Amino acid sequence: MILSLIVFIPLVFLVVILFVPPDKIRLFRTVGIVSSGLQLVFAIDALLHFRTGPGAPSGINKESAFQLLEKTGWIHLSLGHAGSLNIDYILGLDGISIPLVIMSALVIFIAAISSLSIRKKIKGYYILFLLLSSSVMGCFMALDLFLFYIFFEFMLLPMYFLIGIWGGPRSEYAAIKFFLYTLLGSILVFVVMIGLYLSTFDPVQTGMKAGLIVSEQQATPAAVQAVRDSVDAGKIRESEIMRTFNMVTMMDPGNFIPGSILGFHQAKKILGLSPRLLAFLLLFLGFAIKLPSVPLHTWLPDAHVEAPTPISVILAGILLKTGGYGMIRIAYGIFPDGGIHFSCLVGVMGVISILYGAYNALAMKDLKKMIAYSSVSHMGFVMLGLASFTIEGINGAVFMMVSHGILSAMLFLIAGFIYDRTQDRMIENYSGLAGKIPQFTAVVVVAFFASLGLPGLSGFIGEFFVFLGSFQSHVVNQLIPRWIPVIATAGILLGASYFLWTLQRMFFGKYWLREQAWEPSMSDLDLREKLMFLPLIAACIAIGIMPSLVTHLTENSVVTMVNDLYRTGLNNLHLISGL
Amino acid sequence: MDFRITHSLHDLISDTKLILPEIILAILVIVILITGVVTRGKSKSILLSLIIFCGLIFSAIMLYFRLTDIMELPERISFSGFLHIDSLAIIFQFLFMAGGFLFTILSLAARDTVGKDSETEYYVIFLGILLGSMFMAMASNLLMVYISIELVSISSYMLASFGFNRKSIESGMKYILFGAVSSAVMLYGISLLYGYTHSLDFLTSGFIDKLAALPALPVLTALMMVMAGLLFKMAVVPFHIWTPDIYEGAPVPLIAFFSVVPKLGGLVIFARFFYTLNQQPMGIDWQMIFGMLAILTMFIGNLAALWQKEAKRMMGYSSIAHAGYLLTGIVALNAFGLLAVIVHATVYLLMNFLVFLLIELYYPVTGSTVIENYAGQFRKSPAYAALILIGFISLIGIPPTGGFSSKLLLFSSAWDGYSHQGSSILLWLVIAGVLNTLISVFYYLRIPYFMAFREHGEGRHLSVLHRPFYLGVGIILVLFIFIIFIRPDLLLHILNKLNFVYRGMTQ
């Protein structure tokens, strides 16, 4: 129940405020904060119910590995000769999703506070904000591919309008660019989704339909295996095969229908590649647009520069993570063979993102654009960690996403702080702010140092794990050669330089502003801003000092993922190339 | 000889009760013509639409009886093979009826903008198209195909010139020329086919067996001639050029109706024809030919729509693109595909009417259907703007709308066909389909874009829309669109119950 609550609370509030006249501004603002506050409370409650450590459910490829599972049938379509299709409503959490859910709930709450500064078309803004906060949460919890896709795609439209209407001068261009890029990504996922559900079947349901299994309780592994065998032998008629969108079912290679397009005994090649590898590539590209990875990143700086502050916060803090999460859960989870086969590609794209993002950040004159490119650079680490397919690497990738969620929220709030006061974000227009607004400067120092990877703050741990994993990969599984992480280390250096250089130019030296008119508005943090920054700083320091806060949540799942999935992947790869 | 005549006369009389829905529609034409002549004044259009409404209800009831008849016997061939009444036909006929009802409501909303002196003609055109489409869904004889298509065509020639100005006369003239040529070509193709097979019953196995025995080239020529006529009606590339002009010139309700119903009528005939052709190997890859046409149709429809500045023309190109999507399901050549086509047809009917309803409602406010005039509407009348936005989202195929579900089914059926039959054109169809979804975003979002992001020009006073009844109609349409997304199984359950026969190639 609790997971559904997290997803649907905003929708309930949304229905309520639809009928409120648009001049009740205070009410809308309260609703925004209450709704996201409740989401945060329930997310923490979910965290408290989440069992960890030895003995707790572990892994990502069995339904029993998920906690707080909610499962009900949703759509059952009988398609005549093509069998039937099952879409379930399944929400669940495992070690990979829970830290992201908590982080998202926190970021949404902060964004709701930040939204108090929105001045026009308040009602419309909150309607879209609530829609967005519902769908991002659903995205991290959905275990049914169809459900995931709906949440994933449903973020686009609210985001499009939020950027386009409440954004800056070139917001319309940025909004449509965002929409098209991410829709292209979703469409790649969509194509694979169709292929997947046509290729997998639910052995339990199929067994029940064919009369091999009496009830769900009696679905022992042996009985399930018997069903698979009879499907393999072609004993079950096509019309009795129950197809499914369940991601967890798709992760088991035994559930692929023999001879189907993404199945294993398939000699067909599309564009010279096995369909499975192609499917991985499509999924990877689809999510890489969202992540974003160079060269698919160009929507991000535009969208960020034009979006209003709270929306930038959600965009960088949460939306980008749905890309990374999708890679882990779907691309790697269902096609580990592709992950192994293309590990070099993923790693190289990661490194290019790290370096290219950092180089661009160095050159940016607009503070917000600088931060946007730093996001591109940081998300490169996520790909590098994933490519290594080691426990450290994947832990690092998840940690990086959580840490970047917190840090990018802070960074965009910092840009918003300055923009609120002067309507100008050019780095060169400010100097020596430290003397004038010391509290704010302290916040900036924490955020910048955490982002550039100072030990003791959250950014360091993520990068450290990622490098550990990617250097080790050479020894453990030979997936990525050593030169890839070696080159990536340059990214740390670049990261340090653009952050420190910006800090020096804007905050140190003699106090100076380009326009005299800005002088009176240069005040330090007010209460609302303190309320926004404090929890984020606390979270950043806490997981920086005690990374185990995150890793003890993730470790069970990551260990199973690396051990089981890696073996499955090698096995699958062998089956594919054996033909 | 004597016996045969009386016997077939007897058959004819007993078969008459099978086409009661169509007879009622035909009577309705006469009633409307007479009432149109004898009444005058303000209440005329309300009276006419009331009569139509009652007539449609009668006709729908009769259609329901026909359905219960069919449930006992899966299919019935009547009028000595001219009509083929099966559940596939009836499903589409119900859709046409639904389109008819929506049209009547839409015409009520539009009664101020439709020409004052031409209400009678307006309704007669509508009935002509409806009647023709009803027959199209049942036609199983090439002669019947021709007659029903002509019934629709002649009505729509009038439709094209309905604006009674220079431009619409010109587009009407163009349409007549195109139409006449395509009819002539089709008739020529039919006569060739008759020469080859001595039969016009294209659903019988004898017909196709004889064709299969002939060399490919003459058969291909004759069949393509017949198909050209059908594709012309469905606005499939390269027979689509007439569409946007007509859309621009004619009244909105007729366009809303015209963009869906005859297209689906043509689709049913096409489906029957296509499935029959594929029962026998003929050395011609029909899937490839029509798959290519479907791809072309999607691309040309969507790409041309990008450049439109006028809402009705844009919707014209959108309807071309949707003909391409619908063809995908037929070309997939499986039962799943036919099911997907029916679902998409249903959703398309709903979302198209929704968009046209709002275009009509906005007309007094915007003064024209030029897209730029929709600027600032989100602010002025948010509820109406939200409805049209949902319509467009569904047309793109983004969740949570029925348009998403039906596109999912359509592309799945093509993908399924690919994995079973291995014909690579089906894979390309899926790829083209999703790419086109992306292209279509540009123009479908253009009206919502102007509504939300642009303020209306200065000096123009914008009145607030207040048409609560039609807002309610719009909300009901939206609810249906949502329901098809949330529970598509309800719709499919009904379809499965009807147990319609897929007579394509056995897999």
Side-chain angles (χ1 to χ4, degrees):
Chain A
M1 253 326 264
I2 193 166
L3 299 187
S4 292
L5 274 176
I6 297 177
V7 176
F8 288 105
I9 281 172
L11 293 186
V12 174
F13 281 107
L14 179 121
V15 173
V16 174
I17 65 169
L18 271 183
F19 299 99
V20 176
D23 52 344
K24 298 257 188 293
I25 291 170
R26 284 182 74 93
L27 181 87
F28 295 129
R29 290 181 169 159
T30 323
V31 163
I33 289 177
V34 169
S35 155
S36 54
L38 281 175
Q39 274 187 306
L40 182 59
V41 169
F42 283 116
I44 290 171
D45 190 46
L47 178 66
L48 296 178
H49 283 94
F50 191 84
R51 283 180 294 140
T52 55
S58 72
I60 60 165
N61 50 2
K62 295 186 293 291
E63 228 164 71
S64 59
F66 289 87
Q67 304 190 30
L68 304 165
L69 194 74
E70 293 171 25
K71 184 175 183 181
T72 34
W74 177 17
I75 300 172
H76 294 277
L77 288 182
S78 170
L79 300 172
H81 302 287
S84 51
L85 157 153
N86 282 307
I87 299 170
D88 291 320
Y89 173 83
I90 322 176
L91 299 179
L93 289 178
D94 69 349
I96 290 169
S97 45
I98 181 112
L100 292 168
V101 166
I102 307 292
M103 182 275 289
S104 308
L106 178 68
V107 171
I108 291 175
F109 183 62
I110 303 292
I113 302 177
S114 167
S115 300
L116 297 177
S117 61
I118 297 291
R119 294 269 175 271
K120 63 170 183 179
K121 303 180 189 169
I122 309 275
K123 180 174 173 178
Y125 177 86
Y126 276 99
I127 288 175
L128 296 169
F129 182 85
L130 291 173
L131 272 178
L132 188 64
S133 59
S134 162
S135 58
V136 288
M137 282 301 193
C139 208
F140 290 126
M141 297 175 184
L143 293 179
D144 187 280
L145 194 50
F146 187 85
L147 195 63
F148 171 86
Y149 184 80
I150 288 161
F151 286 129
F152 189 70
E153 181 126 339
F154 204 68
M155 294 183 280
L156 300 191
L157 220 61
M159 210 60 184
Y160 170 69
F161 286 109
L162 283 169
I163 296 175
I165 300 179
W166 289 271
R170 282 173 74 242
S171 60
E172 292 163 7
Y173 167 75
I176 193 78
K177 195 169 176 183
F178 161 80
F179 195 92
L180 285 168
Y181 267 77
T182 41
L183 187 64
L184 176 67
S186 322
I187 276 173
L188 296 177
V189 178
F190 178 80
V191 173
V192 180
M193 181 171 90
I194 294 179
L196 267 174
Y197 96 80
L198 287 170
S199 304
T200 46
F201 68 102
D202 184 339
V204 177
Q205 296 287 336
T206 307
M208 278 161 67
K209 180 119 178 182
L212 295 173
I213 296 177
V214 185
S215 72
E216 257 175 72
Q217 284 75 35
Q218 289 171 339
T220 55
V224 167
Q225 195 51 48
V227 175
R228 283 179 187 161
D229 288 342
S230 34
V231 170
D232 280 349
K235 280 186 204 147
I236 294 184
R237 265 178 296 132
E238 182 125 10
S239 57
E240 282 179 340
I241 289 182
M242 305 287 273
R243 291 153 202 271
T244 178
F245 275 101
N246 189 330
M247 281 190 227
V248 187
T249 313
M250 288 170 177
M251 286 179 199
D252 193 328
N255 292 337
F256 281 86
I257 301 169
S260 62
I261 193 89
L262 296 176
F264 295 100
H265 307 286
Q266 173 66 271
K268 213 180 267 174
K269 289 236 153 69
I270 304 173
L271 305 173
L273 271 179
S274 152
R276 276 186 73 86
L277 296 181
L278 192 69
F280 172 84
L281 215 53
L282 290 181
L283 283 176
F284 173 71
L285 287 178
F287 291 123
I289 291 176
K290 198 93 165 191
L291 191 60
S293 155
V294 176
L296 307 163
H297 67 289
T298 53
W299 62 270
L300 183 85
D302 285 313
H304 269 314
V305 168
E306 301 304 329
T309 307
I311 300 312
S312 280
V313 166
I314 293 185
L315 187 60
I318 309 175
L319 251 67
L320 306 189
K321 276 61 192 186
T322 59
Y325 174 78
M327 274 186 197
I328 300 180
R329 171 78 71 221
I330 299 172
Y332 276 78
I334 299 175
F335 299 104
D337 29 344
I340 294 169
H341 188 257
F342 288 112
S343 56
C344 264
L345 175 80
V346 178
V348 168
M349 274 178 80
V351 171
I352 294 176
S353 295
I354 294 171
L355 296 181
Y356 185 81
Y359 258 120
N360 271 293
L362 205 55
M364 286 303 134
K365 294 193 166 70
D366 181 335
L367 180 63
K368 213 170 177 184
K369 238 179 177 158
M370 188 278 278
I371 297 169
Y373 274 109
S374 87
S375 288
V376 176
S377 178
H378 283 135
M379 288 297 104
F381 285 104
V382 174
M383 280 194 285
L384 185 59
L386 269 179
S388 76
F389 223 126
T390 55
I391 295 175
E392 292 85 350
I394 291 182
N395 252 324
V398 176
F399 199 99
M400 194 75 200
M401 291 203 279
V402 175
S403 150
H404 182 259
I406 296 165
L407 293 177
S408 62
M410 272 167 82
L411 292 173
F412 281 107
L413 288 175
I414 286 168
F417 174 94
I418 293 183
Y419 187 73
D420 277 352
R421 280 161 177 69
T422 62
Q423 320 302 318
D424 185 279
R425 287 183 305 248
M426 291 296 147
I427 296 172
E428 63 203 14
N429 290 350
Y430 303 89
S431 168
L433 294 178
K436 179 77 178 169
I437 38 177
Q439 290 177 7
F440 177 66
T441 309
V443 171
V444 174
V445 167
V446 173
F448 277 20
F449 276 101
S451 298
L452 65 83
L454 187 78
L457 296 168
S458 66
F460 169 73
I461 310 288
E463 286 176 13
F464 177 69
F465 275 143
V466 166
F467 276 114
L468 212 58
S470 50
F471 274 113
Q472 228 172 29
S473 163
H474 179 68
V475 184
V476 182
N477 52 25
Q478 290 94 39
L479 284 185
I480 48 176
R482 232 174 225 153
W483 59 266
I484 290 182
V486 168
I487 295 176
T489 45
I492 299 185
L493 207 65
L494 284 170
S497 39
Y498 64 77
F499 275 119
L500 290 177
W501 194 31
T502 310
L503 196 65
Q504 182 227 321
R505 280 182 294 172
M506 285 184 80
F507 291 90
F508 302 135
K510 190 170 165 289
Y511 176 61
W512 172 80
L513 297 174
R514 165 135 302 171
E515 304 279 337
Q516 277 304 310
W518 297 346
E519 190 61 50
S521 55
M522 267 298 162
S523 53
D524 213 341
L525 297 171
D526 61 19
L527 180 66
R528 183 178 68 89
E529 285 155 347
K530 278 181 194 153
L531 274 179
M532 292 192 294
F533 281 118
L534 274 179
L536 292 173
I537 290 177
C540 159
I541 295 175
I543 62 171
I545 296 172
M546 284 197 292
S548 62
L549 284 178
V550 177
T551 51
H552 86 280
L553 293 174
T554 56
E555 65 186 345
N556 274 347
S557 296
V558 173
V559 168
T560 330
M561 172 171 175
V562 172
N563 292 341
D564 284 11
L565 277 189
Y566 185 68
R567 208 175 319 118
T568 318
L570 280 184
N571 212 0
N572 293 352
L573 212 53
H574 184 70
L575 281 174
I576 301 173
S577 53
L579 283 163
Chain B
M1 193 65 190
D2 218 26
F3 168 75
R4 266 184 62 193
I5 290 175
T6 46
H7 185 71
S8 55
L9 205 63
H10 181 76
D11 269 2
L12 215 59
I13 292 165
S14 67
D15 280 353
T16 307
K17 72 172 197 307
L18 282 175
I19 55 161
L20 269 178
E22 287 78 17
I23 292 176
I24 291 174
L25 288 178
I27 295 173
L28 205 55
V29 175
I30 301 165
V31 174
I32 290 290
L33 276 175
I34 295 172
T35 330
V37 173
V38 296
T39 52
R40 292 243 175 295
K42 265 192 155 176
S43 56
K44 183 173 166 187
S45 79
I46 296 180
L47 181 69
L48 289 180
S49 50
L50 208 65
I51 295 174
I52 297 250
F53 205 79
C54 297
L56 286 181
I57 288 177
F58 267 121
S59 184
I61 292 171
M62 290 304 143
L63 193 57
Y64 181 74
F65 285 138
R66 181 190 279 170
L67 178 69
T68 47
D69 262 12
I70 289 299
M71 297 297 257
E72 294 155 19
L73 261 169
E75 56 186 318
R76 189 174 300 195
I77 294 163
S78 63
F79 288 99
S80 35
F82 269 76
L83 296 180
H84 185 92
I85 304 177
D86 59 1
S87 37
L88 179 67
I90 296 182
I91 290 166
F92 276 95
Q93 287 171 336
F94 268 115
L95 283 182
F96 301 163
M97 281 290 167
F101 283 113
L102 288 171
F103 165 82
T104 333
I105 295 171
L106 197 48
S107 315
L108 273 178
R111 61 176 185 273
D112 297 331
T113 47
V114 174
K116 276 271 177 284
D117 312 318
S118 45
E119 288 118 330
T120 321
E121 291 85 340
Y122 170 85
Y123 283 114
V124 170
I125 293 174
F126 154 70
L127 285 173
I129 297 176
L130 179 60
L131 190 56
S133 307
M134 295 286 277
F135 277 118
M136 275 163 105
M138 302 187 289
S140 66
N141 183 300
L142 286 172
L143 219 50
M144 193 62 221
V145 168
Y146 179 73
I147 292 171
S148 54
I149 285 185
E150 278 308 284
L151 187 50
V152 172
S153 298
I154 292 170
S155 312
S156 41
Y157 297 151
M158 292 194 277
L159 172 70
S161 329
F162 203 77
F164 299 115
N165 52 33
R166 209 187 137 78
K167 186 145 199 263
S168 86
I169 301 287
E170 188 196 317
S171 73
M173 204 58 215
K174 266 195 234 162
Y175 184 39
I176 290 177
L177 288 176
F178 274 126
V181 171
S182 91
S183 298
V185 167
M186 185 176 181
L187 212 48
Y188 189 56
I190 291 176
S191 65
L192 283 179
L193 285 182
Y194 184 72
Y196 298 153
T197 63
H198 305 289
S199 158
L200 289 172
D201 284 345
F202 63 93
L203 293 183
T204 54
S205 56
F207 182 82
I208 201 70
D209 289 345
K210 278 186 183 143
L211 281 187
L214 286 166
L217 189 65
V219 176
L220 183 68
T221 319
L223 283 174
M224 283 317 283
M225 282 176 169
V226 177
M227 284 297 192
L230 279 176
L231 299 180
F232 183 78
K233 274 278 88 65
M234 289 157 63
V236 170
V237 172
F239 309 102
H240 67 288
I241 316 158
W242 51 274
T243 328
D245 288 334
I246 297 202
Y247 275 59
E248 198 178 357
V252 172
L254 272 178
I255 287 308
F257 184 75
F258 182 71
S259 64
V260 182
V261 170
K263 189 188 292 281
L264 295 181
L267 193 76
V268 180
I269 300 180
F270 177 79
R272 292 191 200 275
F273 215 97
F274 184 73
Y275 291 152
T276 317
L277 286 182
N278 281 290
Q279 280 167 359
Q280 283 274 350
M282 261 191 270
I284 302 165
D285 192 349
W286 296 109
Q287 238 179 344
M288 182 61 94
I289 295 174
F290 292 103
M292 299 279 268
L293 284 185
I295 292 177
L296 271 180
T297 307
M298 288 188 244
F299 272 110
I300 290 182
N302 278 319
L303 290 175
L306 289 180
W307 311 109
Q308 303 309 315
K309 299 199 161 26
E310 204 269 341
K312 286 201 289 183
R313 272 187 92 85
M314 186 191 88
M315 290 306 287
Y317 282 110
S318 140
S319 87
I320 296 176
H322 274 271
Y325 297 131
L326 286 166
L327 272 188
T328 305
I330 306 280
V331 172
L333 215 52
N334 48 24
F336 185 6
L338 189 55
L339 204 67
V341 165
I342 295 172
V343 176
H344 191 70
T346 315
V347 179
Y348 182 59
L349 178 80
L350 294 170
M351 57 197 185
N352 223 33
F353 263 98
L354 177 66
V355 167
F356 276 114
L357 174 70
L358 283 143
I359 288 180
E360 182 58 46
L361 289 183
Y362 267 120
Y363 191 76
V365 179
T366 54
S368 73
T369 46
V370 177
I371 292 174
E372 285 177 4
N373 286 4
Y374 290 90
Q377 290 299 335
F378 239 109
R379 196 140 195 200
K380 275 287 171 196
S381 18
Y384 297 85
L387 287 185
I388 202 170
L389 172 67
I390 294 170
F392 282 123
I393 291 175
S394 186
L395 280 167
I396 300 174
I398 295 179
T401 57
F404 173 72
S405 311
S406 63
K407 270 196 181 168
L408 177 72
L409 289 176
L410 274 179
F411 297 145
S412 301
S413 71
W415 187 298
D416 194 41
Y418 169 66
S419 54
H420 279 93
Q421 304 152 15
S423 163
S424 62
I425 187 73
L426 292 177
L427 187 68
W428 290 111
L429 263 174
V430 175
I431 293 169
V434 293
L435 276 181
N436 273 286
T437 302
L438 195 66
I439 298 172
S440 68
V441 170
F442 278 104
Y443 66 90
Y444 281 135
L445 278 188
R446 182 162 299 154
I447 288 180
Y449 165 84
F450 272 96
M451 285 179 154
F453 296 166
R454 291 290 169 85
E455 292 304 321
H456 59 91
E458 281 180 27
R460 260 187 50 231
H461 175 70
L462 274 191
S463 54
V464 179
L465 267 180
H466 189 71
R467 314 273 300 263
F469 173 71
Y470 301 106
L471 182 65
V473 174
I475 290 173
I476 290 170
L477 286 176
V478 164
L479 282 182
F480 273 112
I481 290 175
F482 281 147
I483 287 171
I484 292 179
F485 170 75
I486 298 168
R487 295 303 299 268
D489 37 346
L490 296 181
L491 183 64
L492 262 84
H493 184 68
I494 298 173
L495 293 179
N496 283 335
K497 221 169 164 180
L498 292 179
N499 189 22
F500 67 87
V501 192
Y502 165 74
R503 11 179 80 253
M505 188 173 64
T506 42
Q507 286 176 16

